[in-house]
Amino acid sequence: MSVGRFVQQAKQCLKKQAEYSKLNAFVLPITLHESLLQRCQDADDRQVNGGPLSPIDGQLVAIKENICTLHERTTCASAILQGYQSPFSATVVEKLTAAGAVLAGKTNLDEFGMGSHSLNSIHGPVKSSWSEPGEDRTVGGSSGGSALAVGTQQCFAALGTDTGGSVRLPAAWTGTVGFKPSYGMVSRYGVVAYANSLDTVGVMARDVAAANQVYDQIRGHDPHDPTSLPPSSLSRIQTHLQQSSRNPHKIRIGIPIEYLVSELDPTIRTAWSLALHSLHKQGHAIHHISLPTTKSALSAYYVLASAEASSNLAKYDGVRYGNKAPPSSSYSTDNNQPRGEGRSVLFSRTRGAHFGAEVQRRILLGSYTLSSTAIDNYFI
């Protein structure tokens, strides 16, 4: 039997995974290669018989490790969830599977998605393939594992999550395409929350066409997710898109003037200008607009995200959720009575031992902004 296209592509991806394993993009690479290749062979058979399940049927897609999968661990790169296995798969994973996509493994990240360099992980940092001797380079974060996996051709595409740039940033630093859909377009059901009002599942791929193919399969209403846009809203959006795309060769593009910050590197500024010139040359209308609150966006993000994170992570206490810290040495083994000044309780001992430094900082910041003494300074 001849080897089909998807089987060949999968073998190349598995070869790349082995070649780049020290870069730590994958925390849970696929170990059952025969099962993976069989699913790719099934996709090849469907192609021959004229019945592919979707445009991504047979393609390898990696999943960020804060997105639940039924048969693989989901630790969010945190010691407090080490060994945790979800009893269900996230909606986006189920949709990919139904479309014929093949799970390529789970990718590394900053703990609970909190970070910009993919360094804060119990699995170790994600290392850049573009580093040079004596000069370590970052892949960005927090979806750095997904970005690197795509950029080094270890998979066809990957899912990440974006709260404040965690898909777009690593994509920019690895030469890949990172797409963050509008909030509510893609289900968050089965995605471990960092900041509910900001978290969004995004797509990382080698080019725009591939990103669009994956996005088309995961978008849509999900009754399990209360923040998912209802069918009526999705219908209105689709109608508007159809009306506005009657002439796709000429569209209006808004360029926020606040994005051209003085700190922008000259090479990036040049690339920006060349991109605008190319769009104008293609017949698109370029309009400079102003988004005056842009300068406040980062400050607002840290207040809102940290406040929501402190609330979301409160449940990880070793009793309701998460691994429990070992007994404190400050307690007597005879009668369980405190010795000296070590009066730590289970909750604080567990959270102090199992949350990383960055996560602890954001919990503290969020707890402070929500406190009765400070809340009036940040919220109206």
Side-chain angles (χ1 to χ4, degrees):
M1 182 176 63
S2 61
V3 177
R5 175 168 64 97
F6 294 122
V7 172
Q8 291 179 343
Q9 290 178 354
K11 287 182 176 180
Q12 286 298 317
C13 288
L14 293 174
K15 183 178 179 180
K16 291 289 186 181
Q17 287 187 18
E19 179 182 349
Y20 292 112
S21 60
K22 292 184 178 180
L23 298 180
N24 215 22
F26 282 95
V27 296
L28 287 172
I30 294 297
T31 55
L32 298 176
H33 291 178
E34 295 80 6
S35 175
L36 180 149
L37 294 176
Q38 181 57 57
R39 291 195 292 274
C40 292
Q41 183 59 59
D42 293 341
D44 280 319
D45 293 341
R46 289 192 290 269
Q47 288 284 338
V48 172
N49 296 326
L53 296 176
S54 75
I56 62 170
D57 191 6
Q59 299 286 8
L60 266 64
V61 179
I63 309 295
K64 188 176 179 181
E65 211 221 357
N66 62 344
I67 301 175
C68 292
T69 50
L70 178 60
H71 301 294
E72 294 80 25
R73 295 191 303 274
T74 303
T75 72
C76 299
S78 179
I80 206 159
L81 283 176
Q82 193 163 20
Y84 173 73
Q85 189 155 340
S86 171
F88 65 94
S89 290
T91 296
V92 288
V93 174
E94 291 184 342
K95 286 188 172 184
L96 287 175
T97 303
V102 180
L103 180 64
K106 302 195 77 170
T107 56
N108 207 350
L109 68 151
D110 286 297
E111 184 180 4
F112 283 103
M114 300 182 191
S116 300
H117 299 285
S118 300
L119 300 175
N120 311 314
S121 169
I122 58 165
H123 308 296
V126 181
K127 302 174 184 178
S128 174
S129 60
W130 294 272
S131 295
E132 297 178 358
E135 183 184 40
D136 290 334
R137 296 180 178 176
T138 177
V139 295
S142 64
S143 306
S146 291
L148 182 66
V150 173
T152 51
Q153 300 181 16
Q154 300 182 54
C155 56
F156 169 75
L159 295 187
T161 56
D162 194 309
T163 307
S166 289
V167 163
R168 294 159 289 173
L169 179 63
W173 288 1
T174 56
T176 57
V177 172
F179 174 55
K180 174 193 176 293
S182 296
Y183 188 84
M185 293 295 290
V186 177
S187 172
R188 293 190 303 110
Y189 181 72
V191 178
V192 180
Y194 162 16
N196 301 59
S197 67
L198 299 169
D199 292 342
T200 307
V201 176
V203 181
M204 316 188 83
R206 300 174 200 172
D207 54 47
V208 173
N212 186 53
Q213 288 175 343
V214 175
Y215 170 64
D216 278 344
Q217 300 306 315
I218 64 173
R219 64 186 176 95
H221 176 67
D222 179 13
H224 293 106
D225 178 8
T227 65
S228 176
L229 289 178
S232 57
S233 296
L234 294 174
S235 178
R236 288 198 303 272
I237 292 172
Q238 188 62 34
T239 300
H240 176 73
L241 289 174
Q242 291 173 348
Q243 293 174 347
S244 62
S245 61
R246 290 173 181 173
N247 188 356
H249 301 292
K250 290 184 179 181
I251 59 177
R252 291 166 56 89
I253 302 174
I255 309 297
I257 58 177
E258 287 81 7
Y259 288 7
L260 281 171
V261 294
S262 58
E263 298 88 354
L264 198 62
D265 187 277
T267 57
I268 303 299
R269 188 180 295 271
T270 299
W272 173 293
S273 299
L274 290 174
L276 294 183
H277 177 72
S278 176
L279 291 170
H280 180 72
K281 191 175 180 180
Q282 295 173 40
H284 303 304
I286 306 299
H287 294 267
H288 292 281
I289 62 173
S290 178
L291 299 175
T293 57
T294 296
K295 294 180 179 179
S296 303
L298 187 61
S299 299
Y301 161 77
Y302 272 110
V303 170
L304 293 172
S306 297
E308 293 186 29
S310 69
S311 175
N312 280 326
L313 271 60
K315 60 179 173 285
Y316 299 106
D317 51 28
V319 176
R320 292 171 294 178
Y321 290 93
N323 298 315
K324 184 168 64 176
S328 172
S329 60
S330 60
Y331 280 78
S332 167
T333 56
D334 297 328
N335 54 15
N336 201 36
Q337 294 298 313
R339 292 194 298 227
E341 296 181 358
R343 299 177 183 271
S344 59
V345 296
L346 172 64
F347 286 10
S348 60
R349 192 167 68 243
T350 293
R351 292 162 68 80
H354 291 327
F355 279 142
E358 181 62 26
V359 172
Q360 291 187 36
R361 279 192 290 268
R362 299 199 189 196
I363 289 175
L364 287 172
L365 176 59
S367 299
Y368 172 72
T369 59
L370 292 174
S371 66
S372 59
T373 56
I375 193 168
D376 290 338
N377 297 331
Y378 301 102
F379 300 96
I380 299 175

